[in-house]
Amino acid sequence: MATKLRPIQTIAALTARRSLSTTHRYASASSSPQIFRDVPPLRTYRRSLLLSNRTVGLVPTMGALHDGHLSLARLAAVENTDVFISIYVNPTQFGLNEDLSSYPKTWEADLVALETLDAELAATPGAGRISAVFAPTTKTMYPTLPPDSSLPGKGSFVTITPLANLLEGASRPVFFRGVATICLKLFNICTPERVYFGQKDVQQTAVIRRLAKDFHVDTTVRVGPTQREESGLAMSSRNIYLGTRRRNVARVLSQALRRAEAQYLAGKRTRGDILWPATAHADEVAAAQEELDPGARAKFEVDYISLADPETMEEVEVVDPARGAILSTAMKMLPLEEVAEGEQLGAGDDKIPVRLIDNVILEPAE
Ligand code: AMP
């Protein structure tokens, strides 16, 4: 089989060596996912799959894998024979003042998680397998000019306006330009039948759908449900920065959205009627934290609580029940002011501000 003859690495080989070598080796009969760092070997592999009538589902990630990512891989394995996972922390989607350097990188743990999931899939009748992990270098992804996060910036970019300028895009002006650009590159490299994105980043799913439509990308965009911690907090790679105190308060995002959703489910359709309980809840929680001592509280700032159209992400005054809407919010958990004795802290000792997002889809009601 062609897949056994290419210069590749496998996760099993890498994790056994516990170090990442740049030397490739020819694959053995191992069925461990293969790691690709460069485009040509991945293309050759992809072509061999195509010629064998196999299908590819791509899950783009920035690593620091958690159950949210793995749920997308599982979904991809239900619908495709082969799952490709890309792991690449894309510099152009981080603004100049954002957390690129502190973004969590957990390469070895990611490989173990993928290997474990692949073993689970191997034991699941009819499931596809994780056959490729694409972990390119920045030189591979930005072959001509180094990645530029400034505006207008130098380089080849995909911009999707005005969709990408709203909400997350208003707070993070280069974010969706970076996302759309890197995703188009990944789609061109992997030519997947299907691509998988999480509902957690709902505006991103709208941007990717638009990208696929407007650039005639021959792939189907699939969206998997948001995976949550027990408290309701949406899983995120950035949650590792939250210790117990900030994590508890961070429930405010999902709680606020659920209150607004309840209004819609009770038949309310106007913006004011739907949003007020969400805003009131966020205000109450913020005020209650303010009352506490600095050693006991976790302060946060609300960026937005939005009620928007599901396709354009433009704010709506009245929800058209035939279209439904997206409720979404972004809040910044501020660094703890004082740490209590013996307190369980997150990575970076809870000194790193953490921007969290969450959303609920208001499904069409007619
Ligand atoms: P990231 O590595 O954060 O860029 O995320 C990679 C993919 O995983 C994106 O499509 C995200 O929307 C998705 N994802 C992240 N967190 C979750 C979650 N809690 N539930 C479902 N999907 C998620």
Side-chain angles (χ1 to χ4, degrees):
M1 204 171 108
T3 57
K4 291 177 190 161
L5 299 173
R6 290 174 330 284
I8 50 119
Q9 292 172 307
T10 64
I11 291 183
L14 276 182
T15 48
R17 280 207 302 275
R18 289 271 153 223
S19 72
L20 181 59
S21 155
T22 49
T23 345
H24 295 291
R25 67 182 186 82
Y26 282 89
S28 67
S30 159
S31 59
S32 176
Q34 301 169 13
I35 296 167
F36 294 85
R37 300 220 152 252
D38 229 329
V39 175
L42 182 60
R43 283 221 160 110
T44 307
Y45 180 47
R46 205 285 171 244
R47 205 164 297 130
S48 75
L49 295 178
L50 182 68
L51 294 174
S52 320
N53 287 325
R54 297 168 71 107
T55 55
V56 170
L58 169 68
V59 184
T61 82
M62 298 207 297
L65 300 182
H66 51 68
D67 281 348
H69 300 112
L70 300 183
S71 71
L72 295 178
R74 280 196 188 91
L75 180 58
V78 170
E79 300 178 342
N80 303 274
T81 60
D82 291 77
V83 180
F84 286 14
I85 311 280
S86 64
I87 297 183
Y88 178 63
V89 182
N90 173 35
T92 61
Q93 68 193 65
F94 290 80
L96 294 173
N97 301 319
E98 289 180 26
D99 57 347
L100 172 61
S101 59
S102 68
Y103 195 84
K105 292 172 194 74
T106 58
W107 170 249
E108 293 222 340
D110 290 351
L111 296 188
V112 171
L114 292 176
E115 179 116 292
T116 307
L117 174 57
D118 188 53
E120 175 195 310
L121 295 172
T124 310
R129 299 285 298 275
I130 302 174
S131 58
V133 176
F134 182 44
T137 61
T138 288
K139 184 69 191 155
T140 294
M141 295 314 281
Y142 294 88
T144 310
L145 291 176
D148 188 350
S149 284
S150 65
L151 283 171
K154 293 188 179 128
S156 308
F157 296 114
V158 178
T159 54
I160 297 185
T161 58
L163 171 56
N165 300 335
L166 307 169
L167 297 168
E168 287 303 288
S171 302
R172 309 177 66 190
V174 297
F175 179 60
F176 287 120
R177 181 183 76 171
V179 167
T181 300
I182 201 69
C183 285
L184 187 59
K185 289 170 191 251
L186 291 170
F187 298 170
N188 282 336
I189 292 166
C190 301
T191 61
E193 267 82 12
R194 298 174 193 85
V195 290
Y196 293 82
F197 289 85
Q199 189 206 311
K200 198 212 111 200
D201 300 279
V202 70
Q203 192 179 3
Q204 175 167 276
T205 65
V207 166
I208 297 297
R209 283 198 171 108
R210 186 75 65 82
L211 169 78
K213 179 180 173 195
D214 286 353
F215 289 88
H216 296 279
V217 182
D218 191 12
T219 196
T220 302
V221 179
R222 304 278 289 124
V223 176
T226 303
Q227 303 301 306
R228 297 178 180 278
E229 299 185 359
E230 230 170 87
S231 68
L233 177 66
M235 288 181 183
S236 162
S237 304
R238 291 185 173 93
N239 289 359
I240 62 158
Y241 296 118
L242 303 174
T244 309
R245 197 188 329 168
R246 289 204 293 175
R247 207 170 271 252
N248 278 337
V249 175
R251 285 186 290 196
V252 62
L253 282 93
S254 60
Q255 288 170 342
L257 294 175
R258 290 293 168 206
R259 281 165 166 74
E261 180 194 33
Q263 294 286 95
Y264 177 73
L265 296 177
K268 301 282 196 289
R269 295 292 178 260
T270 66
R271 180 179 186 82
D273 282 349
I274 292 173
L275 287 186
W276 77 260
T279 311
H281 181 69
D283 288 348
E284 269 165 35
V285 175
Q289 291 299 309
E290 196 69 49
E291 292 285 299
L292 297 173
D293 290 337
R297 70 187 174 197
K299 297 217 268 186
F300 63 92
E301 286 168 359
V302 176
D303 185 351
Y304 60 78
I305 299 179
S306 154
L307 178 69
D309 179 85
E311 244 178 76
T312 65
M313 297 302 287
E314 309 252 5
E315 296 301 306
V316 295
E317 288 305 317
V318 179
V319 178
D320 174 354
R323 288 180 71 75
I326 307 291
L327 276 168
S328 64
T329 186
M331 299 188 194
K332 182 150 84 177
M333 302 303 303
L334 301 177
L336 292 185
E337 299 151 281
E338 273 177 31
V339 171
E341 186 76 26
E343 182 168 4
Q344 191 270 313
L345 297 174
D349 290 341
D350 271 271
K351 291 200 184 86
I352 298 173
V354 181
R355 193 164 181 285
L356 299 171
I357 59 173
D358 201 350
N359 68 84
V360 168
I361 294 177
L362 301 183
E363 300 288 353
E366 286 169 4

